[in-house]
Amino acid sequence: MGMKVVFVGPPGAGKGTQAENIVKKYGLLHLSTGDMLRAARDAKTPVGLEAEKYMSAGQLVPDEVIIKVIVERLAQPDAERGYLLDGFPRTVVQAEELDKSLAAKGEKLDVILHLAVFDTEEEETKELVRRLVERGRTSGRSDDTEEVIRQRLDVYHKQTAPLIDYYKKSGNLVKIHGEKSIPEVAAQVESILDNIQV
Ligand code: ADP
């Protein structure tokens, strides 16, 4: 069984960019719940159509919906090689359910990477709104509009940031200094992952 890594950080912090580099270097599966839900929406599956109502409003998809999606995905044989979860868990309930489902298989997460960028929430909101509005020009993502971005950041602070404390207690949370350049951030991540024994 390969390495099991979780990436936590606000939208726009650079998780996607770093994730691509990590999965290539360590041969991990990249499981982005945002990408999975957008694919389900485009394929018009029941889950995708349900999820779209929340995604377009910048709200989280209900825990039971996303938990089922991810637990089923992790049961696929290719997950054996290890994975990087990007965008999941996003609530404490999701984290608890993930831990339970791993524990049932005698597994656990190897490391939780917290991509932290800004000192104050005000500074962070300003920069992330700017980045995501810019991304929206080319991404074509319907949730990259200023109003929905502000909503997503608010949801991050209220529902996802509490995960940091949850994982601090588990002892395998590592903070990544995301304000550095892309290669410097990558080097921090690599120095952590290179030292993980699986
Ligand atoms: P972001 O750029 O905000 O990190 P993502 O591409 O990860 O965006 O996710 C887009 C949307 O998909 C979220 O705003 C949310 O509606 C939904 N989503 C993704 N992952 C989850 C999750 N773990 N729990 C609930 N909703 C999720």
Side-chain angles (χ1 to χ4, degrees):
M1 181 77 212
M3 194 153 52
K4 293 179 284 301
V5 183
V6 164
F7 222 157
V8 185
K15 293 195 301 293
T17 309
Q18 294 297 331
E20 264 173 52
N21 170 50
I22 298 167
V23 295
K24 229 189 272 162
K25 174 141 194 222
Y26 297 92
L28 306 175
L29 267 187
H30 181 193
L31 298 180
S32 155
T33 41
D35 287 350
M36 289 162 77
L37 292 173
R38 282 185 287 275
R41 173 199 64 197
D42 294 347
K44 300 194 164 52
T45 68
V47 164
L49 296 175
E50 166 77 5
E52 172 60 10
K53 294 189 273 182
Y54 299 93
M55 291 162 74
S56 58
Q59 299 287 353
L60 295 184
V61 170
D63 284 336
E64 60 275 18
V65 174
I66 192 73
I67 288 165
K68 189 159 179 280
V69 168
I70 210 82
V71 168
E72 281 175 10
R73 184 65 189 85
L74 296 183
Q76 300 291 312
D78 60 351
E80 282 287 312
R81 69 174 205 247
Y83 46 79
L84 172 72
L85 293 176
D86 168 5
F88 182 93
R90 243 183 172 92
T91 64
V92 172
V93 170
Q94 292 178 16
E96 288 168 347
E97 289 301 317
L98 175 63
D99 280 349
K100 268 191 233 166
S101 119
L102 290 174
K105 298 184 270 187
E107 298 174 358
K108 63 173 188 51
L109 295 171
D110 292 294
V111 68
I112 294 91
L113 304 172
H114 171 209
L115 188 64
V117 186
F118 303 94
D119 293 332
T120 67
E121 196 172 315
E122 199 185 354
E123 205 186 348
E124 177 178 273
T125 301
K126 201 168 146 219
E127 172 62 10
L128 296 180
V129 169
R130 191 191 66 73
R131 286 190 196 177
L132 292 166
V133 166
E134 185 62 32
R135 177 173 87 180
R137 286 186 218 284
T138 51
S139 72
R141 270 178 58 166
S142 56
D143 61 349
D144 279 344
T145 62
E146 181 160 349
E147 194 194 340
V148 181
I149 290 165
R150 287 190 186 279
Q151 174 62 30
R152 282 157 59 205
L153 288 172
D154 193 46
V155 164
Y156 177 79
H157 290 295
K158 294 201 174 106
Q159 297 182 258
T160 306
L163 275 185
I164 309 300
D165 277 333
Y166 174 86
Y167 282 129
K168 258 185 201 157
K169 289 179 199 140
S170 75
N172 50 2
L173 177 89
V174 182
K175 183 169 168 178
I176 308 292
H177 298 275
E179 69 281 2
K180 307 265 170 69
S181 69
I182 292 174
E184 282 171 313
V185 174
Q188 290 177 63
V189 172
E190 287 170 19
S191 76
I192 292 157
L193 299 186
D194 283 345
N195 287 304
I196 289 178
Q197 313 283 333
V198 285

